[in-house]
Amino acid sequence: MTQNPSKQPAQDFGGKIVALAGGVGGAKLALGLYRYLQSKNRAKELAVVVNTGDDMDYLGLRISPDLDTVMYTLADLANPTTGWGIKGDTAQALQMLGRYGHDNWFWLGDQDIATHLIRTRGLQTGKTLTQITDEMRTALGIECELLPMTNEPVRTIVETEEVGSLPFQEYFVRRRAADTVKSLTFEGIEEAELTDEVCHALTDPALIIICPSNPYLSIQPILAIPSMRKLLSSSSAPIVVVSPIVGGVALKGPAAANMRSLGGETEASALGVARVYAGFAQRFVLDQVDAEQKSDIEKLAYKVMVTNTIMKDDESKIRLAQEILEGYAAI
Ligand code: FO1
């Protein structure tokens, strides 16, 4: 890995940079990659493939939270406090729903509702989720590809110790991810097909980056699509994992608890994340606070780069992206 992130010029990647992402954590690195490539006039070389297992139908609307989180982030529209939703959005529609006595546990902003209306209408008129997403990202001025992992509906179902099985957003939002997850099912996964756009992005890419998203809830649904793993591992491009666990703590959400209950780990750690992708990914980006785990991760056949992976502002997101992109051949 380069120790000189300001090195110029950027190398010729010789193919697409493909990032696999979930919601807020993944969107941060996606933004760093996007901004960095944009500064080199190469934003079109980035394709972000996004989890749709968290999608749900709510009040007749199709909600794709992870796609929207990445889209709003790349369009510089995301709410900086939550990481999801639109900055400055209001909740008048939600309040009115409450007055009608309707459930309003899922926060839908007034501007955000426009996205769900367009998506729902598009699906009703026979467009694919990929087409609709492409139209929206174009309208918002996003220059890179933003690709749902599949066009078919896939739904993550969470089997909990406390209350049995729950649709993803019931577990995540309504019950605040407080339950112990025993197992996951991805409904519809067997029927889910790889889209032409995802296949195209993954044909001879230069690099595949697994963003610091929850390995079980966000990345596993993407990898569970039949043929996805095969396509990814048959590519000659290195697969780089950026750990979502730093100093034993999840950067966001329930990943640490999931590692214990789903991964069988006694403690959440970057090493545990490395175990999840062992034999599949070849490179690992480890935070400097976890540097003592480097040799154990190397024993799992990874080349390891140690750096500061905390993305607290745009500058740190771009710096991390630059280190990964400029150094990938070297690690
Ligand atoms: N997350 C919450 O914690 N509470 C919410 O009410 C909520 C609403 C919501 C609406 C639209 C959207 O695009 C995302 C939303 N999220 C909410 C985030 C979302 O549930 C999660 O970030 C992802 O599904 C997990 O990656």
Side-chain angles (χ1 to χ4, degrees):
M1 191 65 218
T2 180
Q3 296 303 307
N4 176 14
S6 60
K7 183 176 83 178
Q8 298 287 332
Q11 58 203 89
D12 180 2
F13 304 116
K16 285 249 172 200
I17 307 296
V18 182
L20 310 185
V24 177
K28 285 185 181 182
L29 184 57
L31 181 67
L33 292 164
Y34 178 60
R35 290 265 178 269
Y36 175 68
L37 289 167
Q38 220 179 15
S39 74
K40 307 285 171 200
N41 246 335
R42 304 173 73 158
K44 289 184 173 56
E45 290 170 43
L46 176 67
V48 189
V49 177
V50 182
N51 170 41
T52 56
D54 300 7
D55 290 14
M56 70 165 172
D57 290 307
Y58 185 63
L59 298 164
L61 297 175
R62 173 67 54 84
I63 322 275
S64 296
D66 286 357
L67 267 178
D68 291 346
T69 296
V70 177
M71 184 170 78
Y72 295 152
T73 302
L74 296 183
D76 199 22
L77 286 174
N79 178 327
T81 309
T82 56
W84 52 266
I86 294 180
K87 61 182 157 197
D89 209 353
T90 48
Q92 309 265 348
L94 198 74
Q95 280 167 21
M96 197 63 193
L97 276 171
R99 282 189 66 182
Y100 285 125
H102 199 286
D103 261 358
N104 57 4
W105 56 270
F106 196 71
W107 203 92
L108 284 184
D110 298 321
Q111 294 180 59
D112 189 32
I113 287 173
T115 306
H116 313 312
L117 286 170
I118 300 261
R119 177 183 298 116
T120 307
R121 183 74 188 130
L123 291 169
Q124 284 166 352
T125 58
K127 291 182 185 171
T128 66
L129 186 59
T130 301
Q131 285 171 326
I132 299 162
T133 307
D134 199 57
E135 287 171 9
M136 290 199 285
R137 71 99 187 152
T138 306
L140 295 179
I142 298 169
E143 295 171 79
C144 70
E145 278 189 279
L146 180 58
L147 303 175
M149 65 185 200
T150 181
N151 284 323
E152 282 75 33
V154 172
R155 297 290 176 265
T156 299
I157 305 295
V158 182
E159 184 64 30
T160 68
E161 212 160 274
E162 293 81 357
V163 286
S165 73
L166 294 171
F168 181 83
Q169 297 297 344
E170 297 254 351
Y171 155 76
F172 196 86
V173 173
R174 192 170 204 169
R175 296 182 58 83
R176 297 167 193 271
D179 302 302
T180 306
V181 183
K182 290 199 305 188
S183 63
L184 298 170
T185 312
F186 306 119
E187 261 180 24
I189 202 79
E190 291 311 320
E191 295 76 38
E193 289 180 17
L194 287 174
T195 64
D196 290 347
E197 291 78 3
V198 168
C199 286
H200 186 255
L202 287 170
T203 305
D204 293 328
L207 183 67
I208 298 158
I209 300 168
I210 300 184
C211 289
S213 298
N214 187 311
Y216 305 98
L217 301 177
S218 300
I219 302 297
Q220 210 184 318
I222 304 178
L223 301 182
I225 297 173
S227 324
M228 178 65 98
R229 256 180 194 268
K230 210 167 136 210
L231 185 64
L232 285 167
S233 28
S234 66
S235 111
S236 55
I239 301 178
V240 184
V241 176
V242 183
S243 179
I245 301 281
V246 173
V249 176
L251 294 174
K252 178 109 184 132
N258 299 155
M259 290 200 70
R260 290 187 286 272
S261 71
L262 286 169
E265 300 281 339
T266 44
E267 277 175 47
S269 65
L271 177 59
V273 175
R275 282 193 195 104
V276 174
Y277 300 111
F280 171 67
Q282 304 79 32
R283 316 282 162 97
F284 198 90
V285 181
L286 179 68
D287 193 88
Q288 57 200 15
V289 306
D290 294 319
E292 84 288 351
Q293 295 173 38
K294 182 172 187 263
S295 58
D296 284 334
I297 294 174
E298 282 169 341
K299 285 183 196 141
L300 297 170
Y302 286 100
K303 287 184 179 174
V304 180
M305 161 192 165
V306 180
T307 188
N308 179 0
T309 65
I310 302 298
M311 295 179 280
K312 58 182 189 324
D313 51 24
D314 282 6
E315 201 187 340
S316 48
K317 289 169 197 159
I318 297 167
R319 183 202 38 80
L320 179 61
Q322 183 172 6
E323 285 192 44
I324 294 169
L325 293 181
E326 290 190 346
Y328 81 89
I331 57 167

